[in-house]
Structure formats: C-alpha cells, structure tokens
C-alpha cells in the first residue's frame, strides 16, 4: 500500500499488511454486523524522516465520538501511574505563581484530575463526549473538542498561555501532527513544556507487540522521529524517559527551542535507537517475519486446545486485541467470550471477529481452562486480582512470545 508520509510528505510504502481491519474500539451488536466498516491496516516506515505510521487511517470522527469505548479509569495501576506523572510535572515545571496546565486527550480525567484535586488551574481537551462527561461530573474542567492549532489559539486567548501541556496515549493518535505541534507552540509560554508519553517503537520491535498497531495509533513514535516532527515547529525534545506502561512507552519532554537544555537522556536514547536499528528498513522486515511467526504459533496453540476440547476465554477486550483477533483469524470457535470490566463493551461483540464480551462475573462463575491475556500490559494488576483463577486455569500470553504461562 502506498501513501505519503504525514510528517515530511515523502512517498511511503507499507512493509506489510495486517489485512482488512474494523475500528478497534467499535464493539457492536448483531444488528450492526452487516454494516461494519473495514479499512486496510498496513504500517510503513518513512525512509526520509523515520516516522513509523499506518498508511490508511479512518477519519478521527469515526473513532472518537459520544460512544467511545475506552475509559482510562479501568486500571488501578494506571491511575497510580498518572498520579506519579502529575506529581513529577508539578515538582519540576509548575513552580511559578498561578500555573496553568492543559491536557490533550484527557478522557475521564485520570491524569488532569490530579491537578484539579490540588486546586491548580487546568483544562482537559477531549473530543469523546461520553468519557469527557465522566471527567466533568468529577468537577474537572473539560473542553469537548479535538485539539488542533485553532483550539490552542482559543484556549490561549481565553485562559492565557500554559506552563505545561501534558498528554498520554493520544499524540500518536492524531494524524495531523503539524496541527499538534503548531498548537502546542502557540499555547505554551516561552519557558513552558509539552510532555507526552506514548507506546514506544523500540519496545514494539523488540517484543513483537504488533497489537500496538491499530486504527487509533497512526504513529508509533521514537525519540528520533519525534525530534524531527516537532523541530520544524520550533519545539525541541529535551527529555526522554522510558515508562513501563502499555507494554513499554516513552515520555517525551519538549520545550520551545532555546528554552531549555536537553537532558542527557535524549542522546542516550538516540544511541539505543541506533543500536536497535530503528532507522533501518531491515528492522521492519524482521519485525514482519516475527509477526507472521507469532500468528502461526498462536493459531496453532488455539487449534490444538480446541481439538482437545478445552474451554478458552479471553481476558480484556482491548483495542489491541482487535488487531490480534482479525490478523490471526481467531473467532468465537476458538475463544468463547472475552471478559472485560467496561460496561459499554459488555453484552456486545468484538469488532470484526464477533466474539461476545462478558462481565468478569461470567469469567468467575464458569472459569475457562485457559485465558488469553489480551490486556498483557496490565499483567501484574490482573494476575494479582485473578489469583483464584490461576489456581485451576492457565494463562496464555503472546508478547513477547506465544505460550502458556507456567
Ligand atoms: N490519556 C488517556 C486516554 C487515552 S485514549 C490515557 O492515557 O488513558 C485517547 C484519547 O484521546 C481518547 O479519549 C480520545 O477521544 C482522545 N483524542 C483523540 N484525538 C484527540 C485530539 N485530536 N485531541 C484531543 N483528544 C483526542
Ligand atoms: P488497555 O490495555 O488499557 O487498552 P487498549 O484498549 O488501549 O488496548 O485496555 C484494557 C482493557 O481491559 C479495558 O477494556 C478494561 C479491561 N480490563 C479488565 O477487564 N480487567 C482489568 O483488570 C483491567 C486492568 C482491564
Ligand atoms: Zn517522513
């Protein structure tokens, strides 16, 4: 599949295709099966600017709307992580009088809520009205719209410029990266900072966590590609801190050029990226081969369990699982149901492969012999709460390798 790089405009061509994919978070009812939307999920690596991206992405309004299925607050460990993130931003960057913090993609308020709770002037920007409503109910100031340059200008005019713009798992969702960069530049004070943390390309390549690639994740960032993308808007990467969340993320700190000195972490991480070969096409050829091998092993394992008459369920109806299920062709014959705590997903069916989603009570009442851990990024939290299941049932993981957890 061919296209143009969203960062530099060069021609790009995909190095593999995961085939036709539905919207990852569009859990649906049987009456909607016949009008399900599909697009081709094909990642590409830009030889010119090193941006890793999917060639085709559905329109943002098709993914983010008043019926958005992902609520950040479903993980306790993530809530704690965001508390620490907020505390670090506060300690390092909000020491002036009456600071103002803006969050892009604030969802149910899991991160910005920490600033609100401390009485700090704050504003979340969140286009998905249903998740934004949860934040508003908690008294968190939230603007229901997509962040872009115009939005940034209006916020600056109304509230003044920001000391910090924070974000998590959203900047890699926004196809118009120029709008984000221009908007951030417009909204920040000269001494302000823009922090965001997103799934990291280095982890994805090392762990074959190809399930990070789905419609919402238009980019999978690296320090190299982020530096290039934001430099033309006068923003410089001054910090890069690896995070354990979402299977391996990177927190980038950006500042208006000349505003701050780059931390040694930036050069250190660029050296790691050179070592990992993130700028070389062969790396992605190897990644493609690893994805194919992972698919083969997972389907073989599930087919064997089916022959043996084992009962298999899934755990966590994640967006990521949409890529795995559709790429591997895993349906309700292999996985009876997927357990998930999100009320909006329960009683519906997974996108594309139509596996029923059930509340955890169903999983506890009639535990399966095996559970495929689709929310593998929340493994510690889930293993701790499902200790009872682990006594009798077995977990199947597929990152970094496919296998039964012994
Ligand atoms: N920051 C939260 C939510 C991540 S999900 C967390 O880390 O858990 C991504 C969120 O970004 C969704 O709630 C989605 O509605 C929102 N989003 C998507 N595009 C956006 C844009 N252009 N501006 C602001 N938010 C956006
Ligand atoms: P997550 O892996 O955070 O995100 P993504 O959709 O980006 O891949 O999704 C976690 C999903 O797993 C969410 O639907 C809630 C569900 N979940 C459970 O069912 N039980 C749990 O204990 C946790 C932590 C999550
Ligand atoms: Zn490019």
């Amino acid at each position: 599949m061919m296209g143009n790089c969203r960062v530099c405009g060069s021609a790009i061509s995909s190095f593999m295709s995961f085939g036709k994919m539905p919207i990852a978070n569009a859990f649906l009812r049987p009456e909607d099966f016949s009008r399900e939307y599909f697009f081709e999920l094909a990642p590409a690596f830009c030889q010119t600017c090193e941006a890793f991206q999917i060639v085709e992405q559905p329109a943002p309004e098709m993914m983010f709307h008043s019926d958005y299925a992902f609520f950040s607050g479903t993980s306790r460990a993530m809530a704690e992580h965001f508390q620490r993130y907020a505390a670090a931003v506060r300690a390092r960057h909000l020491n002036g009088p009456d600071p103002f913090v803006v969050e892009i993609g604030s969802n149910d308020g899991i991160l910005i809520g920490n600033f609100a709770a401390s009485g700090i002037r704050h504003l979340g920007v969140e286009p998905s009205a249903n998740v934004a409503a949860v934040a508003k109910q908690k008294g968190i100031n939230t603007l229901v719209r997509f962040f872009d340059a115009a939005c940034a200008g209006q916020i600056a005019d109304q509230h003044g410029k920001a000391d910090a713009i924070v974000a998590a798992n959203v900047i890699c969702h926004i196809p118009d990266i120029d709008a984000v960069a221009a908007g951030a530049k417009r909204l920040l004070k000269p001494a302000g900072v823009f922090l965001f943390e997103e799934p990291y390309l280095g982890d994805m390549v090392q762990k074959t966590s190809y399930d990070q690639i789905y419609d919402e994740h238009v980019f999978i960032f690296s320090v190299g590609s982020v530096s290039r993308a934001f430099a033309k808007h006068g923003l410089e990467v001054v910090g890069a801190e690896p995070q354990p969340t979402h299977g391996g993320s990177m927190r980038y700190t950006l500042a208006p050029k000349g505003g701050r000195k780059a931390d040694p972490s930036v050069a250190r991480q660029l050296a790691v990226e050179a070592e990992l070969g993130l700028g070389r096409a062969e790396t992605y050829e190897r990644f493609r081969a690893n994805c194919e091998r992972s698919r083969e092993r997972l389907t073989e394992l599930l087919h064997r369990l089916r022959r043996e008459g084992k009962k298999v369920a899934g755990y966590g109806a994640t967006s990521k699982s949409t890529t795995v299920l559709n790429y591997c062709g895993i349906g309700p014959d292999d996985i009876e149901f997927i357990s998930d705590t999100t009320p909006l997903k329960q009683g519906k069916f997974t996108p594309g492969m139509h596996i029923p989603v059930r509340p955890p009570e169903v999983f506890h009442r009639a535990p399966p012999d095996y559970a495929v851990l689709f929310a593998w990024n929340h493994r510690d939290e889930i293993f701790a709460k499902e200790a009872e299941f682990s006594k009798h049932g077995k977990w199947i993981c597929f990152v970094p390798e496919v296998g039964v957890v012994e």
Side-chain angles (χ1 to χ4, degrees), residues 25 60 63-65 68 70-73 78 81-82 85 103-111 124-132 143 145-148 151 166-171 173-175 180 197-198 214 216-217 246:
N25 263 311
M63 301 181 283
F64 310 114
H65 40 61
Y68 184 54
F70 179 76
F71 292 75
S72 302
M78 286 307 295
H81 168 78
F82 286 128
Y85 184 178
E103 180 179 0
I104 302 173
S106 47
N107 200 278
D108 56 13
I110 194 168
L111 172 58
V125 181
E126 172 51 63
S128 297
N130 62 328
V131 296
L143 196 58
R145 67 180 284 182
F146 287 92
F147 181 86
D148 57 16
C151 170
V166 296
N169 310 303
V170 56
I171 304 305
H173 293 51
I174 306 177
V180 173
E197 56 178 48
E198 315 284 321
Y214 57 89
E216 295 180 17
H217 290 177
H246 287 300

Side-chain angles (χ1 to χ4, degrees), residues 64-176:
F64 310 114
H65 40 61
S66 55
D67 205 21
Y68 184 54
F70 179 76
F71 292 75
S72 302
T74 48
S75 164
R76 275 222 13 227
M78 286 307 295
E80 287 163 13
H81 168 78
F82 286 128
Q83 243 170 28
R84 293 190 292 271
Y85 184 178
V89 170
R90 227 185 131 179
R92 282 190 223 161
H93 304 296
L94 302 183
N95 299 308
D98 190 28
F100 177 44
V101 186
V102 174
E103 180 179 0
I104 302 173
S106 47
N107 200 278
D108 56 13
I110 194 168
L111 172 58
I112 194 86
N114 292 291
F115 299 101
S118 317
I120 292 171
R121 268 201 313 132
H122 67 277
L123 182 64
V125 181
E126 172 51 63
S128 297
N130 62 328
V131 296
V134 176
K136 286 186 184 178
Q137 261 162 27
K138 292 188 257 185
I140 299 166
N141 303 328
T142 309
L143 196 58
V144 182
R145 67 180 284 182
F146 287 92
F147 181 86
D148 57 16
C151 170
Q154 280 177 25
I155 297 173
D157 290 345
Q158 246 182 45
H159 302 270
K161 292 196 174 189
D163 297 86
I165 302 173
V166 296
N169 310 303
V170 56
I171 304 305
C172 74
H173 293 51
I174 306 177
D176 190 351

Side-chain angles (χ1 to χ4, degrees), residues 16 26 56 84 184 219 258 265 279 291 297 337 342 370 378 397:
M16 73 181 289
E56 183 185 355
R84 293 190 292 271
F219 295 110
S265 61
C291 292
R297 293 193 175 161
F337 69 93
T342 315
Y370 290 82
H378 302 300
C397 279

Side-chain angles (χ1 to χ4, degrees), residues 109-370:
I110 194 168
L111 172 58
I112 194 86
N114 292 291
F115 299 101
S118 317
I120 292 171
R121 268 201 313 132
H122 67 277
L123 182 64
V125 181
E126 172 51 63
S128 297
N130 62 328
V131 296
V134 176
K136 286 186 184 178
Q137 261 162 27
K138 292 188 257 185
I140 299 166
N141 303 328
T142 309
L143 196 58
V144 182
R145 67 180 284 182
F146 287 92
F147 181 86
D148 57 16
C151 170
Q154 280 177 25
I155 297 173
D157 290 345
Q158 246 182 45
H159 302 270
K161 292 196 174 189
D163 297 86
I165 302 173
V166 296
N169 310 303
V170 56
I171 304 305
C172 74
H173 293 51
I174 306 177
D176 190 351
I177 194 164
D178 286 322
V180 173
K185 184 76 197 311
R186 166 87 176 78
L187 181 53
L188 276 185
K189 288 182 182 168
V193 281
F194 178 20
L195 294 101
F196 55 90
E197 56 178 48
E198 315 284 321
Y200 183 53
L201 184 63
D203 286 288
M204 188 185 83
V205 164
Q206 279 189 295
K207 298 173 191 165
T208 317
S209 44
Y210 67 87
D211 56 348
Q212 291 295 357
I213 302 173
Y214 57 89
D215 54 0
E216 295 180 17
H217 290 177
V218 64
F219 295 110
I220 305 289
F221 289 137
S222 59
V223 177
S225 63
V226 166
S227 301
R228 284 195 182 79
F230 286 83
K232 63 176 165 175
H233 295 276
L235 289 169
E236 206 173 2
V237 177
V238 296
E241 297 165 274
Q243 305 293 322
T245 46
H246 287 300
S249 298
M250 186 63 64
R251 183 180 298 165
Y252 307 92
T253 303
L254 281 73
K257 204 167 167 43
R260 278 164 205 252
K261 221 177 111 221
D263 187 85
S265 61
V266 179
R268 202 185 313 135
Q269 201 60 42
L270 285 170
V272 170
E273 292 181 358
E275 189 129 318
L276 288 174
L278 296 190
R280 285 204 305 271
E282 306 89 81
T283 304
Y284 303 101
E285 281 306 310
R286 209 164 47 237
F287 175 72
R288 177 174 61 79
N290 289 341
C291 292
E292 288 165 1
R293 204 187 49 218
S294 175
R295 168 170 66 176
E296 219 165 274
R297 293 193 175 161
L298 184 60
T299 49
E300 262 170 24
L301 173 58
L302 292 176
H303 292 166
R304 176 168 68 75
L305 294 176
R306 175 155 51 147
R307 282 196 305 274
E308 292 172 1
K310 302 292 189 204
K311 181 179 155 101
V312 182
Y315 201 99
T318 58
S319 334
K320 296 184 291 294
S321 70
T322 294
T323 294
V324 177
L325 296 170
N326 287 274
Y327 173 57
C328 299
I330 299 167
D333 291 341
D334 300 302
I335 293 182
E336 204 171 295
F337 69 93
I338 302 184
S339 170
D340 196 284
T341 53
T342 315
L344 200 141
K345 296 181 186 179
Q346 296 162 356
K348 291 191 183 146
F349 292 79
T350 65
M353 296 311 292
H354 306 160
I355 298 173
V357 182
R358 303 277 180 243
E361 294 75 57
V362 172
F363 181 84
H364 295 140
R365 206 182 308 134
D369 300 306
Y370 290 82

